[in-house]
Amino acid sequence: MAASVDELRSLAEALLRQRGVPADGARLQADLLIEAELRGHPSHGLQRLPRLIARIGNGVASATARGRHTWRGDAVLEVDGERGLGPVVITAAIDALAERVEQTGVVLAAIANANHIGMLAPYAEAAAERGLIAILLSTSEALVHPHGGTRAMLGTNPIAVAVPTAGHPFVLDLATSTVSMGKVHHHALRGEPLPEGWAVDAAGRATTDAEAAKSGAIAPFGGAKGYGLGLAIELIVAALTGANLAPDIRGTLDAEHVANKGDVVILVEPAAAPGLAARISAYLDAVRASPPADPDHPVAIPGDGMRARREAAHRRGIDVPPRLLAELRELEAA
Amino acid sequence: MAASVDELRSLAEALLRQRGVPADGARLQADLLIEAELRGHPSHGLQRLPRLIARIGNGVASATARGRHTWRGDAVLEVDGERGLGPVVITAAIDALAERVEQTGVVLAAIANANHIGMLAPYAEAAAERGLIAILLSTSEALVHPHGGTRAMLGTNPIAVAVPTAGHPFVLDLATSTVSMGKVHHHALRGEPLPEGWAVDAAGRATTDAEAAKSGAIAPFGGAKGYGLGLAIELIVAALTGANLAPDIRGTLDAEHVANKGDVVILVEPAAAPGLAARISAYLDAVRASPPADPDHPVAIPGDGMRARREAAHRRGIDVPPRLLAELRELEAA
């Protein structure tokens, strides 16, 4: 049964405020979890909330920190997240960047010591709606094996890109793994086998057994190239933030450890060429209208599906597993 | 038969100088072509030289231009390439960026109206050897079909990333297509079939016939994700440089049109965290030493193979097709 978006948002906000999160921070964190639900990524949605609340209780997440800002050069913002909530810390950083970008044209934030920022797309999209090109990178616990390897050595290391157009911004948000570990857990829960090539088990053997894959590793997307991209993101984030590398990263999937991954945001002002945004929109429409391989499936632009899911979910509400909803309501009563 | 590296470099330089390219520019352009040969990418090597010389003759490539620089904000360098040789224009831009980065921490060059810059890896690697993190993006003629599409709508849109370590820099350089069009031509020349999934023919039908694929389109790497990444690069480069989008791009594969693609360079100073470069090197060694899927093939780091090929070629010389060598010698005599 679908729950109303407003009701879920209020519930999430109330839970966070009860744990000492100020109203605006609670709103940002709740929004981010709801946005992931709306966009069809429940692995980054409300199921993360009970753990986040436990993290605040355990002192590894701060209810109030917004991050300490130090400019390293005129255009690089070094952010010590002070264990703050991911969306709170990154939003404060992006606001500081957006103010500075008018002077420098390009700005970069290197964020360490913040909690999980969640899905990257909403931040990138919001920046593009302000007229900026946005690139976001983030690291995580080791979950992905190298191409030709069998042990989890890399994070799922997502990249998001948003570019302003004459209409909706172009928004890309992808993990550099074939699938998320959340999806593997989802298959395990339902007793469904995994497609071949998704994962290996703890001994490093290729497996379609979702339960066995949970303690194994996920394949990088796109073979050697996707692996290379994931590794590049791993290194860029570590080199810019001083944060840990995947095998030493903790704190986005547990309730006990300080989150020691890193996040990077790059914002750039587009060229002032006249008609540029309209030219980009016309190009994207031409790609959409180009001949599909299967006449029943027109060519899609990244973000189109997400936008459609988001609009439908706003109308229909969000399907939250009854057990999760009960857990959240119990936490509220506690 | 392998030709000596020095001999080929001298030949390339002499040819360029004969066409009015100053000594330092001839050296940069020759170096770039030789580097591609050394790294095992002849599609970006000497086979491009006769066309480049024709481009100078036709006035669509300038022998002397280095690009006009305008700072758009403190940290964004707008470069009008003035039809200059790609390596000359981008090297002048990177030199200007490297000077500015000490003040701003991050810098970006948006380059339009330059000729083909060739393989991206050497520029990124050189920046990392100066202690900087480098990200390079470039666009090209439409050669790649969208995921789920059949018509060439995107460039091969490569990305290169280099990150300093305690040893050799980490260097990634990948096209967002499954293969290069150069490789398709190579298969066609030898009458070899293409692996399935590489390409479609002019009618948009999947094909393993290399000859038919030459007038068709190449698949993006990694399905929807690789397509998304290629499209993001297409849009970032266009939005930053004002350059054309793939279907309207000309001038990197022909001798008649002004090159109207774009190139983007981002340089960033790494964090000053003590021991960071050593930590990154230790991590890369741990990835290399992690258990391989096939005991005969240890896990590789992008750039390792390239470095090995480069060192071997320096010893053995470069295999240049006799017809190409004859053509170059004939041009020299002309």
Side-chain angles (χ1 to χ4, degrees):
Chain A
M1 206 197 66
S4 103
V5 175
D6 288 343
E7 192 188 331
L8 289 172
R9 195 192 313 265
S10 299
L11 174 57
E13 280 188 57
L15 278 171
L16 290 160
R17 296 194 60 179
Q18 281 177 3
R19 270 68 185 181
V21 181
D24 56 346
R27 179 75 193 215
L28 284 171
Q29 179 68 64
D31 270 352
L32 219 280
L33 299 174
I34 296 290
E35 274 300 317
E37 298 283 352
L38 289 171
R39 291 165 193 237
H41 293 274
S43 64
H44 285 59
L46 292 166
Q47 72 180 52
R48 299 231 171 202
L49 189 50
R51 196 185 306 128
L52 192 55
I53 284 169
R55 291 182 64 76
I56 296 174
N58 293 341
V60 291
S62 156
T64 56
R66 290 160 190 274
R68 200 157 43 80
H69 291 185
T70 314
W71 287 94
R72 186 203 303 167
D74 296 343
V76 174
L77 183 66
E78 206 170 84
V79 179
D80 171 358
E82 301 175 303
R83 304 191 182 183
L85 301 178
V88 172
V89 171
I90 194 173
T91 299
I94 288 175
D95 286 345
L97 292 184
E99 201 173 307
R100 181 60 61 95
V101 76
E102 291 177 28
Q103 174 199 327
T104 56
V106 58
V107 281
L108 183 151
I111 305 172
N113 200 19
N115 279 279
H116 193 243
I117 58 173
M119 211 186 161
L120 305 186
Y123 308 112
E125 187 168 17
E129 276 162 359
R130 287 162 126 164
L132 298 167
I133 296 163
I135 302 173
L136 276 81
L137 309 173
S138 190
T139 51
S140 79
E141 282 85 347
L143 292 169
V144 177
H145 64 74
H147 177 69
T150 59
R151 182 177 295 164
M153 296 297 292
L154 294 89
T156 50
N157 299 0
I159 176 171
V161 172
V163 178
T165 76
H168 297 293
F170 168 85
V171 184
L172 174 78
D173 180 358
L174 61 88
T176 50
S177 50
T178 303
V179 287
S180 66
M181 191 48 99
K183 215 166 204 169
V184 171
H185 282 248
H186 208 62
H187 277 71
L189 263 175
R190 294 182 299 182
E192 286 175 8
L194 303 178
E196 275 181 38
W198 274 21
V200 299
D201 64 19
R205 288 173 305 230
T207 185
T208 58
D209 176 349
E211 198 57 51
K214 280 166 64 177
S215 51
I218 313 168
F221 94 95
K225 292 192 180 201
Y227 156 58
L229 182 69
L231 192 56
I233 292 172
E234 185 84 42
L235 300 188
I236 291 172
V237 172
L240 285 174
T241 65
N244 283 65
L245 290 147
D248 298 320
I249 290 179
R250 304 288 180 274
T252 81
L253 301 169
D254 63 68
E256 295 81 33
H257 296 94
V258 173
N260 58 3
K261 48 75 197 171
D263 311 294
V264 167
V265 183
I266 302 174
L267 301 181
V268 202
E269 288 190 332
L276 184 56
R279 196 147 52 82
I280 289 175
S281 286
Y283 167 69
L284 291 175
D285 284 341
V287 174
R288 287 186 184 96
S290 72
D294 171 353
D296 293 337
H297 290 92
V299 172
I301 297 293
D304 283 359
M306 183 186 74
R307 197 167 298 116
R309 282 195 299 275
R310 191 174 185 282
E311 280 163 16
H314 260 299
R315 286 194 307 273
R316 284 193 300 91
I318 296 171
D319 280 315
V320 179
R323 214 174 59 180
L324 174 59
L325 200 55
E327 186 183 359
L328 294 175
R329 293 215 164 108
E330 211 168 288
L331 280 168
E332 195 192 16
Chain B
M1 205 197 65
S4 103
V5 175
D6 288 342
E7 191 188 331
L8 289 172
R9 196 193 313 265
S10 299
L11 175 57
E13 280 188 58
L15 279 173
L16 289 160
R17 295 193 63 179
Q18 282 178 2
R19 269 69 186 181
V21 181
D24 57 345
R27 180 75 194 213
L28 284 171
Q29 178 68 63
D31 270 353
L32 219 280
L33 299 174
I34 295 290
E35 275 299 318
E37 297 283 351
L38 289 171
R39 292 165 195 238
H41 293 274
S43 63
H44 286 59
L46 292 166
Q47 71 179 52
R48 299 229 171 204
L49 189 50
R51 196 185 305 130
L52 192 56
I53 284 169
R55 291 181 62 77
I56 296 174
N58 292 339
V60 291
S62 156
T64 55
R66 290 160 189 274
R68 200 159 42 80
H69 291 186
T70 314
W71 288 95
R72 186 205 300 169
D74 295 344
V76 174
L77 184 65
E78 206 169 85
V79 179
D80 170 358
E82 301 174 303
R83 303 192 183 182
L85 300 178
V88 173
V89 171
I90 194 173
T91 299
I94 288 175
D95 286 344
L97 292 184
E99 201 174 307
R100 180 62 60 94
V101 76
E102 291 177 27
Q103 173 199 328
T104 56
V106 57
V107 280
L108 183 150
I111 305 172
N113 200 19
N115 279 280
H116 194 242
I117 58 174
M119 213 186 159
L120 305 186
Y123 308 112
E125 188 167 17
E129 276 162 0
R130 287 162 124 162
L132 298 167
I133 298 163
I135 303 173
L136 276 81
L137 310 173
S138 191
T139 51
S140 79
E141 281 86 348
L143 292 170
V144 178
H145 64 73
H147 177 69
T150 59
R151 182 177 294 165
M153 296 297 291
L154 294 89
T156 50
N157 300 359
I159 176 170
V161 173
V163 178
T165 76
H168 296 294
F170 168 85
V171 183
L172 174 79
D173 181 358
L174 60 88
T176 50
S177 50
T178 302
V179 287
S180 66
M181 190 49 99
K183 216 165 204 170
V184 170
H185 281 247
H186 208 61
H187 276 71
L189 263 175
R190 294 182 299 181
E192 287 175 7
L194 303 177
E196 276 182 34
W198 274 22
V200 299
D201 64 17
R205 287 173 306 230
T207 186
T208 57
D209 176 350
E211 199 55 52
K214 279 166 64 177
S215 52
I218 312 167
F221 93 96
K225 291 192 179 200
Y227 156 57
L229 182 68
L231 192 56
I233 292 171
E234 185 84 42
L235 299 188
I236 291 171
V237 172
L240 284 174
T241 65
N244 283 65
L245 291 146
D248 298 320
I249 290 179
R250 304 287 180 275
T252 81
L253 301 169
D254 62 70
E256 295 81 33
H257 296 95
V258 173
N260 58 4
K261 49 73 195 169
D263 310 294
V264 167
V265 183
I266 302 175
L267 302 181
V268 201
E269 287 191 331
L276 183 57
R279 196 145 54 81
I280 288 174
S281 286
Y283 166 69
L284 291 175
D285 284 341
V287 174
R288 286 187 185 95
S290 72
D294 171 352
D296 293 337
H297 290 92
V299 172
I301 297 292
D304 284 358
M306 184 185 72
R307 197 168 297 115
R309 281 194 299 275
R310 192 173 184 282
E311 281 163 15
H314 260 299
R315 287 193 306 273
R316 286 193 300 91
I318 296 172
D319 281 316
V320 179
R323 212 174 60 180
L324 173 59
L325 199 55
E327 186 182 0
L328 295 175
R329 294 215 164 108
E330 211 168 290
L331 280 167
E332 196 191 15

